[in-house]
Amino acid sequence: MRNLKSFWIKKKISKFLSYTFLIFLIFNVNIAKSFSDNLEKGEATIQQMIKEAQKHAIDTIKLEPNERSLKIELLIKKYINLDFMGKVTTGTFWKKASGKQKEMYKAALLKQIVLTTEEHLNTLATLSYKPKKSEKRGKKLVYVRGLIQDPNKKKPDVNLLWKLAANKNGSFLILDLEIEGISLVSSQKAEAVSILRKNKGDFDILLKKMNKDK
Amino acid sequence: MTKKYKFLFIKCITAAFILNGCSSSTKLVSENKDPFEKINRNVFKFNKYVDQKIISPISKTYIRKVPAEIRSGVSNHLQWMDTPNTIINSALQTDMENTILASAKFLLNGLTLGFYDLDKGETVVKKRDFGSTLARLNVAEGPFLMVPFIGPKTTRDFTGTILDRQNMATLSSNSINDLNLAEIPINIIDKRGKMSKTIDNIYLSADPYIKIRSFYLQNRRNEIYSKQYIENKNNNLDAEFEKLLD
């Protein structure tokens, strides 16, 4: 009788352990799968964007400057999280801005990114992009690393680091780009916060300075 | 051993002893320390004026008129002339791999006086200067400075630049020193030409002074600090990003 009881208990324990192990396994496999899914999605987003940018550089070369800027603007809008960039580059001052000021700041920021991209777009068409190691950071972020290389080896390699996160629809958008360790968001933040601090958080002054001579 | 070589030797030995006594971890420095901002801004205005009126036009003409092959040769030669500094400072930082690579590259390219890169960029040598050696010695970065004609520096890097120049003067003969002096303006024009688009773009920004300061500090810290510094910087940024994404 006692043997039967201990057999029954042992069976129960082993059943419990097997279920726990199974749940643990499923949970871990899912996490690992979602991790690798996110990495793949992040990498695919960047590769797709580079491909489109290189195609754009060739297709838009004969267009009028304004028309070309408009096309580049559309391309950039598709891949960057402008709301996030607006928030992160103005820090605590973002909350003090009115809805209109926020929209105007985002537009000025986009204009700056378009200008920078335009300058380097023709060069990008002749260079090649080589993806490097990607990694999942924290709960939401994905780092995608890559290298811009000159096939003729006349220019040095440029290391790039894209920081991405999924939006509500699940598609990955760029939050920041580091070129050779220089974060574009950090330098924009240093500039915007310094102007806002000196002018008691007045967004209109910042916007005026951002839109000068452009 | 002549007096000047003795002096350099003693300097190297002392630095090596101090380096051995120091830990390899680097101190994290506070962001954008700029107590001299007012003076720096005035110097920046002066540098910008000199750049726009003199250096930029000369560098644009240099790019337009001089063939790319010659410009590349000049650029290679200037880098080659600076390699002894990298060799000395890599050794002081106990980075033996970089010391050997830099020495080998210096000797190889010495066959063409550095005008032609004989290994065609295959060997990647990390540029090392006395500023980075001081950083390895855990010397704090100090306040940010805008130096007339030279541009952005931290106090530590400016001290490093002076010591590097002195090293070169100690190592070279008088005729090479004269050549070095002649190379300074060529170096400025060459660098301005290479960074033309970036600099012109910075001038268009809302506050060019802050932009230059931010670019310089980020670039310099990435060049000289360890992976641990970069990881800490990324962790801080990640935490800020995640908070804003919530």
Side-chain angles (χ1 to χ4, degrees):
Chain A
M1 188 65 186
R2 194 178 276 176
N3 275 347
L4 196 73
K5 203 178 172 185
S6 79
F7 172 74
W8 183 244
I9 290 168
K10 269 184 193 169
K11 207 178 171 188
K12 257 191 157 178
I13 290 172
S14 74
K15 207 174 177 184
F16 171 75
L17 284 174
S18 350
Y19 277 128
T20 317
F21 178 70
L22 206 67
I23 291 166
F24 177 76
L25 202 72
I26 293 167
F27 183 68
N28 266 311
V29 166
N30 273 338
I31 285 181
K33 196 174 177 298
S34 93
F35 266 40
S36 68
D37 275 359
N38 281 350
L39 283 182
E40 275 169 24
K41 275 184 195 168
E43 279 170 10
T45 307
I46 296 301
Q47 297 225 20
Q48 180 64 25
M49 188 195 67
I50 298 274
K51 220 168 152 182
E52 277 188 48
Q54 284 179 324
K55 193 175 173 291
H56 245 72
I58 301 160
D59 292 352
T60 58
I61 206 150
K62 282 177 188 166
L63 290 179
E64 288 290 312
N66 281 348
E67 217 178 323
R68 194 178 198 212
S69 299
L70 205 69
K71 292 229 171 200
I72 295 164
E73 196 179 303
L74 287 173
L75 174 80
I76 292 170
K77 262 185 175 174
K78 203 169 126 185
Y79 287 101
I80 64 167
N81 190 338
L82 208 53
D83 284 320
F84 173 84
M85 282 184 178
K87 248 189 261 176
V88 77
T89 53
T90 48
T92 48
F93 293 102
W94 186 250
K95 284 177 191 161
K96 291 174 192 165
S98 67
K100 195 185 166 194
Q101 283 172 329
K102 283 178 184 172
E103 287 309 313
M104 281 170 80
Y105 178 74
K106 283 194 281 181
L109 202 59
L110 181 65
K111 208 171 169 184
Q112 273 190 1
I113 302 170
V114 171
L115 266 175
T116 318
T117 317
E118 265 181 334
E119 272 179 19
H120 299 284
L121 202 63
N122 291 344
T123 331
L124 188 71
T126 60
L127 302 173
S128 67
Y129 175 75
K130 190 180 159 196
K132 280 169 75 184
K133 197 184 89 184
S134 305
E135 60 178 309
K136 176 99 173 60
R137 306 271 303 193
K139 288 176 194 163
K140 295 168 185 163
L141 297 173
V142 169
Y143 278 15
V144 177
R145 289 173 214 274
L147 201 64
I148 295 278
Q149 287 178 314
D150 179 11
N152 304 319
K153 288 201 169 180
K154 280 184 180 168
K155 285 175 186 161
D157 294 351
V158 180
N159 282 298
L160 300 175
L161 164 63
W162 314 84
K163 294 179 182 179
L164 299 107
N167 65 358
K168 284 167 194 163
N169 312 325
S171 53
F172 275 76
L173 293 177
I174 298 164
L175 309 178
D176 189 13
L177 165 65
E178 277 189 17
I179 306 169
E180 286 293 331
I182 298 176
S183 154
L184 297 187
V185 157
S186 295
S187 50
Q188 177 59 32
K189 187 179 179 180
E191 203 182 336
V193 168
S194 159
I195 294 170
L196 286 167
R197 212 173 269 157
K198 271 182 198 151
N199 297 291
K200 293 171 187 166
D202 191 339
F203 258 78
D204 289 332
I205 295 176
L206 172 67
L207 291 167
K208 208 173 159 186
K209 287 196 176 216
M210 281 177 87
N211 292 320
K212 64 161 188 192
D213 305 329
K214 282 174 193 166
Chain B
M1 207 184 267
T2 58
K3 204 176 175 183
K4 61 181 180 183
Y5 284 109
K6 262 185 198 166
F7 176 65
L8 181 73
F9 182 70
I10 291 165
K11 236 170 48 171
C12 290
I13 293 290
T14 319
F17 267 113
I18 300 167
L19 268 178
N20 267 338
C22 292
S23 67
S24 58
S25 67
T26 44
K27 237 189 282 178
L28 293 179
V29 283
S30 68
E31 280 285 318
N32 306 340
K33 213 195 271 178
D34 196 359
F36 308 124
E37 189 174 338
K38 221 174 173 181
I39 305 165
N40 284 341
R41 277 188 185 272
N42 286 330
V43 177
F44 175 71
K45 263 186 207 163
F46 169 75
N47 280 357
K48 189 182 165 191
Y49 180 82
V50 173
D51 178 57
Q52 287 181 325
K53 296 285 170 195
I54 305 165
I55 300 167
S56 175
I58 296 175
S59 112
K60 277 174 185 158
T61 316
Y62 172 71
I63 288 172
R64 224 180 23 245
K65 301 268 174 180
V66 181
E69 288 76 18
I70 296 176
R71 274 189 281 129
S72 159
V74 171
S75 189
N76 285 339
H77 174 70
L78 292 169
Q79 270 179 31
W80 177 77
M81 286 290 281
D82 203 37
T83 315
N85 265 333
T86 294
I87 299 170
I88 294 168
N89 286 296
S90 299
L92 288 174
Q93 291 171 37
T94 58
D95 184 352
M96 284 308 139
E97 193 190 335
N98 208 46
T99 314
I100 294 164
L101 288 178
S103 308
K105 196 166 181 167
F106 181 71
L107 289 173
L108 179 71
N109 288 339
L111 296 170
T112 63
L113 275 178
F115 281 101
Y116 190 74
D117 190 4
L118 289 170
D119 86 330
K120 289 174 184 162
E122 289 296 320
T123 317
V124 182
V125 174
K126 287 173 232 150
K127 195 176 176 292
R128 292 278 181 260
D129 50 32
F130 215 83
S132 61
T133 305
L134 290 173
R136 281 271 296 178
L137 283 165
N138 277 350
V139 173
E141 165 175 81
F144 176 79
L145 298 175
M146 188 60 78
V147 188
F149 298 106
I150 294 176
K153 289 269 173 211
T154 58
T155 319
R156 182 185 61 205
D157 290 333
F158 185 50
T159 315
T161 310
I162 296 166
L163 289 168
D164 281 329
R165 281 273 143 215
Q166 206 201 337
N167 260 348
M168 287 305 289
T170 318
L171 279 172
S172 343
S173 65
N174 283 341
S175 53
I176 290 183
N177 276 336
D178 294 343
L179 199 68
N180 252 335
L181 279 177
E183 273 176 353
I184 294 172
I186 304 171
N187 207 348
I188 292 172
I189 290 160
D190 181 60
K191 278 189 181 155
R192 178 63 173 91
K194 278 182 191 164
M195 296 174 73
S196 168
K197 275 182 187 171
T198 314
I199 294 174
D200 291 344
N201 207 5
I202 287 172
Y203 288 156
L204 283 176
S205 62
D207 190 340
Y209 169 76
I210 299 284
K211 196 129 218 164
I212 280 208
R213 188 180 73 185
S214 173
F215 278 1
Y216 174 78
L217 289 175
Q218 285 191 64
N219 181 45
R220 191 68 185 143
R221 286 169 184 175
N222 273 295
E223 253 175 21
I224 59 180
Y225 285 138
S226 62
K227 278 183 184 168
Q228 189 201 335
Y229 166 78
I230 296 163
E231 190 55 32
N232 280 343
K233 183 196 85 177
N234 281 338
N235 284 341
N236 290 340
L237 271 175
D238 287 357
E240 192 187 339
F241 279 22
E242 293 236 348
K243 207 172 150 191
L244 284 172
L245 283 167
D246 281 335

